[in-house]
Amino acid sequence: MSDVRGSMYLVLEDGSVYPGKRLGAEGESTGEVVFNTSMTGYQEMLTDPSYGGQILVPTYPMIGNYGTSEADVESNRIQVNGFVVRDDCEEPSHPLSEGTVHDYLLKNGIPGISGVDTRAITRKLRSAGVMMGIITPDDSAEAALENLSKAPRYGEFDVVGDVSTDEMYAWNGDAGERSRAFFDLRGRARQGGMGVDVERGIGQRDLGDNYMKVVVNDYGVKLNILRSLRARGCEVIVVPDDASADDIMAHDPDGVMLSPGPGDPELLDRSVETARSLVGQLPIMGICLGHQVIARAFGASTFKLHFGHRGGNQPVKDLETGRVYVTAQNHGYAVDAESLPDELNVSHINLNDQTVEGLRHRDLPIMTIQYHSEASPGPHDSEYLFDRFVGLMQEAIGTAPEKTSVVN
Amino acid sequence: MTNGTAAEMPKKVLVIGSGPIIIGQAAEFDYAGTQACRSLREEGVEVVLVNSNPATIMTDEDMADRIYIEPLTLPVIERIIERERPDGVIGTMGGQTGLNLVVDLEKSGILEKYNVKALGTSVASVEMAEDREQFRDLLERIGEPVLPSYAVETVEDAVEAGRKIGYPAVVRPAYTLGGTGGGIAMNEQELRQIATGGIAASKVGQVLVEQSLLGWKEIEYEVMRDGEGSVITICNMENLDPMGVHTGDSIVVAPSQTLNDKDYQRLRTASLNIISGLDIKGGCNVQLAYRPSSMVAEAIDEGAGYDDEGSMYYVIEVNPRVSRSSALASKATGYPIARVAAKIALGKTLDQISNAVTQKTTAAFEPALDYCVVKIPRWPFDKFPTGDRSLGTQMKATGEVMAIDRTFEAALQKAVRSMENGRGSLLW
């Protein structure tokens, strides 16, 4: 590393200042400051579009031990506005590592700060709630607060439009495919019948005869959602966040996936309208923001959590089976259980604060989860939900006449 | 779905201690047993304790309702059962000694005779975890990798096996005492030599050629499962010394430092699959050997990726009980493993057990560390100046230190200073 890393400061809107040294690009950046409790997966977090508009603080202190790799991205760029760590590793050790976190942020032009007391920040956010903050090389807190006050406030503008795709595309696998395919499919290949092409990986695998066609409405989709669908033999088409229900149905899909994404669901009237039009036409799965959009489409309301759920250790109870799953989560808003209509049943709850973590429609093939069945980063315990979604689509096809009657 | 545990909860439970302190089985089991006794009494259960070692906290007067300081032998335990008539027995807190006793109690029909239930993990599960053949079958059934090994009777077959497995390869002669005639072959030439000797040494003229895991990363997961099938990991740990050095003799770091998220989760999922397959009810320790994924990438490039031979991890060992590592994981994370395991043994589920730290949430969560823990073993070489100091698969440490700090470097230095061997840090 040749560049000299000078001082940087994280200034929160309550006026508290946390000094450190520069990590990544030079410059100033603002965003909502949030913490995540995962111990691994910093690169997946950095590239998760749901962090758009936010400054990310991992509570785990040592970041960068295994470097960065093309195999660990969840989108085509770093999505966070800033990165705040206790200690960054300058000599990573992992066979797949292609460089340090510092270089990675630098290359992507994202400023960060290292050597900061992240535990103090976390404690503050836990008691005072998430708040806006600014990363700056300027040692004047007054100037920083002045700049921060001029910046757009998270929750008051639509971030989804920034992170969603501009054009519709068919997804056939891309960077990071091989390493991921190995993890997902080694077991499956052994159990037989997956028809995995080892040489080319799952992404380029020819679809079988009975494949499902899924349109993913991209509010800020993670690659692993696309990989998880593809791994279950689905043809995957991704459409922009502002696609209409007609645009989506024009692809003649077997099911629709409403993806996770950043920001306040109250700002997404257009997406809610689209979801409302899709209801009853075909099976729908909503993840995270997609879950909130579906709930709103049924007239439920959402609210902002004090400091959010972000991390890979959130216990969720499946109320149908009584089993507890450890889940990956990343959300600052939640669905208000009191506001749910009778036709939506709560299928999952969070054991830490009893908030809604999943919904099932009483009659229609609609399932939603507030957490991330695609993991990455986080526990793989909930991958079964993708199987459940594929099952809903298969069922819907098997009962095509009934499906028509629902539409009418 | 409830399982009606309240109605079936045993009223009186016999807890078996771990007996005398030996290398590899020391104060950690006193720590676990004490926690378990307190936990059971919290639930209103009458606790009967037996341990042959009076120099333990668990045998203090107020730890149990009735305490027997007696030899840990089958006839003695039978007499205690006959006299006390407990509803259940817990052996998973008393190390291998306690576990073996429960297995013996079951097999000798004593448990059935006095209508005593083995609480927590069943004896059948314990046997499946400890029997090499049964465990192998289980791994195959649930689709986890099984260490490739070939039984061969000629040198040419051994070489063929070596070609399939790759080097280094371990040669184990069948039916010889203490592995005479075996060894680790680094190449075909050595394999020919060792196999020739091994086949001659074996009573049945047969050797087992196995893949060697020497030098692979050694990773452990402390996991917990309840009767409803909910599974969590308490903590994972990475050994600084790779495969080949006993975990008890290795510097251990929690959480793992060199695994990326995909590595970490893959091994976590494997651990959870295994304890679910074993039907563990309580705590369990899973040890895995792990090969970094560059080799996997190469294997895929060569088109040899997805079969067993190309696997990047193997399960080395499963301890279906509270173990030495559980004590470390428990202290490292603050998660009271023995306390929760004892309540699971009574039939409670993870979400019915309160989190002793927060008081508000439940035991169904995974601790997220915002610090690093380093354990360094303490060897008694100062008392045995001429003893063999080389480390291997037989544990030699008689103690250990554990240090916590925000970074690995700081925790390591603290641990070195705590060794009380006159050093202030690694450097001076």
Side-chain angles (χ1 to χ4, degrees):
Chain A
M1 233 172 305
S2 56
D3 62 325
V4 179
R5 292 163 59 180
S7 295
M8 286 284 261
Y9 304 87
L10 171 70
V11 182
L12 298 183
E13 64 177 324
D14 70 352
S16 51
V17 179
Y18 302 87
K21 67 172 178 179
R22 178 167 63 84
L23 176 69
E26 294 180 58
E28 203 167 77
S29 180
T30 64
E32 184 183 56
V33 183
V34 298
F35 65 86
N36 182 305
T37 58
S38 298
M39 295 185 283
T40 51
Y42 48 84
Q43 197 183 354
E44 289 91 335
M45 288 184 239
L46 287 172
T47 53
D48 178 352
S50 292
Y51 285 110
Q54 292 176 323
I55 290 173
L56 178 62
V57 185
T59 60
Y60 187 68
M62 291 165 287
I63 298 297
N65 277 8
Y66 55 82
T68 59
S69 153
E70 192 58 32
D72 288 341
V73 298
E74 281 300 322
S75 67
N76 58 2
R77 63 182 167 97
I78 292 185
Q79 303 282 356
V80 302
N81 283 6
F83 198 37
V84 180
V85 306
R86 169 66 174 77
D87 187 43
D88 72 296
C89 178
E90 293 176 3
E91 290 174 47
S93 164
H94 195 281
L96 294 179
S97 172
E98 291 155 12
T100 63
V101 167
H102 171 67
D103 290 341
Y104 187 58
L105 290 164
L106 201 58
K107 220 179 294 166
N108 281 266
I110 302 295
I113 174 169
S114 174
V116 180
D117 186 354
T118 49
R119 188 181 277 176
I121 299 171
T122 305
R123 292 178 80 107
K124 162 147 287 172
L125 298 179
R126 276 184 63 93
S127 56
V130 290
M131 58 180 85
M132 292 293 290
I134 181 167
I135 295 177
T136 175
D138 190 343
D139 62 1
S140 155
E142 288 74 30
L145 286 170
E146 173 69 23
N147 288 351
L148 182 57
S149 68
K150 286 185 227 149
R153 290 189 66 80
Y154 188 86
E156 289 176 3
F157 63 99
D158 174 17
V159 200
V160 169
D162 293 343
V163 298
S164 176
T165 177
D166 294 330
E167 302 281 335
M168 132 331 169
Y169 60 92
W171 190 81
N172 292 312
D174 64 353
E177 195 46 47
R178 281 188 160 184
S179 99
R180 180 64 205 178
F182 178 85
F183 284 94
D184 273 354
L185 296 169
R186 216 201 75 253
R188 288 166 169 272
R190 189 181 306 112
Q191 282 151 24
M194 281 297 291
V196 180
D197 184 328
V198 172
E199 281 293 298
R200 294 186 297 169
I202 184 70
Q204 283 73 36
R205 186 170 65 89
D206 296 329
L207 292 164
D209 290 337
N210 302 314
Y211 66 90
M212 297 289 146
K213 190 189 224 176
V214 178
V215 169
V216 178
N217 200 356
D218 177 11
Y219 306 146
V221 74
K222 278 161 71 189
L223 281 173
N224 214 35
I225 290 178
L226 309 182
R227 294 182 194 115
S228 299
L229 290 169
R230 189 78 191 191
R232 284 158 181 80
C234 297
E235 180 184 350
V236 178
I237 291 164
V238 184
V239 298
D241 65 305
D242 56 2
S244 69
D246 289 342
D247 293 342
I248 290 171
M249 293 309 289
H251 292 285
D252 191 24
D254 296 303
V256 171
M257 166 75 72
L258 303 185
S259 88
D264 188 342
E266 281 187 26
L267 302 172
L268 302 177
D269 288 341
R270 195 186 48 227
S271 301
V272 169
E273 195 46 53
T274 302
R276 196 174 288 140
S277 315
L278 291 171
V279 166
Q281 296 204 52
L282 75 179
I284 305 175
M285 178 171 180
I287 299 180
C288 201
L289 186 62
H291 149 88
Q292 294 161 0
V293 165
I294 291 173
R296 292 191 71 84
F298 279 95
S301 56
T302 48
F303 64 98
K304 190 171 172 77
L305 294 161
H306 190 51
F307 53 83
H309 297 168
R310 293 180 188 86
N313 64 337
Q314 297 273 339
V316 164
K317 184 164 182 169
D318 184 333
L319 296 176
E320 281 170 35
T321 63
R323 255 197 75 172
V324 179
Y325 295 91
V326 178
T327 65
Q329 301 202 2
N330 170 20
H331 61 108
Y333 299 86
V335 172
D336 181 4
E338 300 294 313
S339 70
L340 287 170
D342 288 344
E343 55 194 319
L344 285 184
N345 296 329
V346 176
S347 58
H348 297 79
I349 57 162
N350 189 302
L351 285 179
N352 287 343
D353 59 8
Q354 317 298 318
T355 52
V356 176
E357 291 289 355
L359 298 168
R360 271 302 275 272
H361 193 278
R362 197 180 49 202
D363 315 305
L364 300 172
I366 295 174
M367 58 182 279
T368 70
I369 45 166
Q370 178 66 76
Y371 52 101
H372 294 269
S373 49
E374 79 279 10
S376 199
H380 298 169
D381 300 11
S382 300
E383 284 179 347
Y384 73 97
L385 290 164
F386 288 109
D387 295 324
R388 198 180 271 181
F389 179 49
V390 171
L392 285 183
M393 289 189 282
Q394 286 164 342
E395 253 171 58
I397 287 175
T399 56
E402 276 177 50
K403 185 176 126 185
T404 315
S405 73
V406 172
V407 175
N408 300 333
Chain B
M1 257 184 221
T2 57
N3 53 2
T5 48
E8 301 160 16
M9 198 187 290
K11 292 183 183 61
K12 189 171 183 179
V13 171
L14 173 66
V15 175
I16 303 177
S18 67
I21 287 179
I22 52 174
I23 291 181
Q25 183 163 307
E28 46 269 55
F29 296 107
D30 188 24
Y31 171 84
T34 306
Q35 222 180 64
C37 288
R38 283 210 186 103
S39 173
L40 294 171
R41 295 182 87 189
E42 256 173 37
E43 300 296 323
V45 171
E46 190 181 345
V47 177
V48 180
L49 174 72
V50 56
N51 196 353
S52 61
N53 182 357
T56 54
I57 309 279
M58 70 193 312
T59 49
D60 281 2
E61 275 176 19
D62 53 352
M63 278 303 153
D65 294 281
R66 221 171 256 268
I67 295 163
Y68 290 86
I69 298 175
E70 297 287 348
L72 295 176
T73 61
L74 212 51
V76 172
I77 307 280
E78 179 172 11
R79 280 197 58 197
I80 294 172
I81 288 177
E82 187 182 3
R83 201 169 135 181
E84 294 289 343
R85 299 295 178 132
D87 303 312
V89 57
I90 296 182
T92 47
M93 306 292 166
Q96 199 59 40
T97 310
L99 200 65
N100 289 349
L101 267 172
V102 172
V103 172
D104 292 346
L105 283 169
E106 164 90 22
K107 286 198 157 166
S108 59
I110 295 172
L111 292 185
E112 202 187 345
K113 182 174 167 194
Y114 296 98
N115 195 22
V116 181
K117 265 181 71 182
L119 301 178
T121 303
S122 72
V123 170
S125 298
V126 171
E127 286 183 322
M128 199 193 292
E130 304 209 324
D131 181 272
R132 196 183 151 92
E133 280 309 309
Q134 282 193 48
F135 190 59
R136 235 184 138 82
D137 291 347
L138 170 79
L139 292 180
E140 266 166 20
R141 204 163 59 238
I142 62 177
E144 291 296 336
V146 176
L147 187 66
S149 84
Y150 297 89
V152 297
E153 289 172 4
T154 68
V155 175
E156 285 316 309
D157 285 351
V159 170
E160 178 60 29
R163 202 169 289 138
K164 283 184 202 153
I165 288 167
Y167 294 96
V170 179
V171 180
R172 295 180 204 278
Y175 302 102
T176 54
L177 261 181
T180 320
I184 297 177
M186 303 305 290
N187 51 45
E188 192 181 313
Q189 195 189 349
E190 285 181 27
L191 181 64
R192 280 180 187 281
Q193 266 176 19
I194 299 171
T196 309
I199 290 167
S202 168
K203 253 197 308 199
V204 291
Q206 191 189 68
V207 293
L208 217 56
V209 184
E210 263 181 14
Q211 183 175 352
S212 166
L213 302 176
L214 202 69
W216 285 35
K217 288 176 196 277
E218 192 171 347
I219 312 281
E220 291 179 73
Y221 280 74
E222 265 320 298
V223 288
M224 185 78 83
R225 181 171 180 273
D226 69 21
E228 289 282 301
S230 298
V231 280
I232 57 167
T233 56
I234 311 301
C235 178
N236 91 334
M237 289 165 277
E238 180 167 1
N239 289 11
L240 205 80
D241 306 84
M243 290 292 298
V245 174
H246 194 283
T247 312
D249 277 344
S250 178
I251 295 180
V252 176
V253 188
S256 58
Q257 296 296 309
T258 67
L259 301 188
N260 67 22
D261 188 63
K262 291 172 181 67
D263 300 335
Y264 179 102
Q265 302 300 346
R266 188 69 196 89
L267 298 183
R268 176 184 174 280
T269 302
S271 305
L272 297 183
N273 286 347
I274 288 161
I275 68 160
S276 298
L278 285 170
D279 193 25
I280 298 284
K281 289 171 190 141
C284 185
N285 163 264
V286 181
Q287 295 177 20
L288 305 118
Y290 180 64
R291 184 173 56 177
S293 40
S294 69
M295 298 192 189
V296 174
E298 282 163 22
I300 292 174
D301 284 340
E302 290 159 15
Y306 298 120
D307 53 9
D308 282 344
E309 281 81 4
S311 177
M312 57 203 292
Y313 71 89
Y314 293 105
V315 184
I316 318 159
E317 197 184 329
V318 170
N319 285 310
R321 55 176 169 85
V322 174
S323 66
R324 187 180 48 256
S325 298
S326 323
L328 178 65
S330 200
K331 287 170 191 164
T333 61
Y335 192 101
I337 293 175
R339 174 178 180 271
V340 174
K343 292 192 196 299
I344 289 175
L346 293 179
K348 284 197 152 192
T349 57
L350 282 166
D351 61 313
Q352 290 170 346
I353 301 167
S354 72
N355 177 336
V357 181
T358 64
Q359 301 291 347
K360 275 186 282 187
T361 54
T362 71
F365 78 108
E366 298 197 348
L369 308 188
D370 72 345
Y371 51 85
C372 177
V373 177
V374 173
K375 176 215 88 173
I376 305 184
R378 181 88 165 76
W379 294 278
F381 297 140
D382 48 346
K383 301 206 171 55
F384 302 100
T386 57
D388 177 10
R389 296 190 175 203
S390 57
L391 300 178
T393 51
Q394 183 99 33
M395 183 171 162
K396 289 181 175 170
T398 50
E400 61 192 29
V401 298
M402 185 189 98
I404 301 181
D405 209 315
R406 291 275 280 164
T407 62
F408 167 71
E409 295 87 336
L412 182 65
Q413 299 281 37
K414 266 190 190 174
V416 169
R417 203 186 317 166
S418 311
M419 296 282 283
E420 288 190 350
N421 54 9
R423 296 180 74 100
S425 88
L426 275 179
L427 305 175
W428 41 272

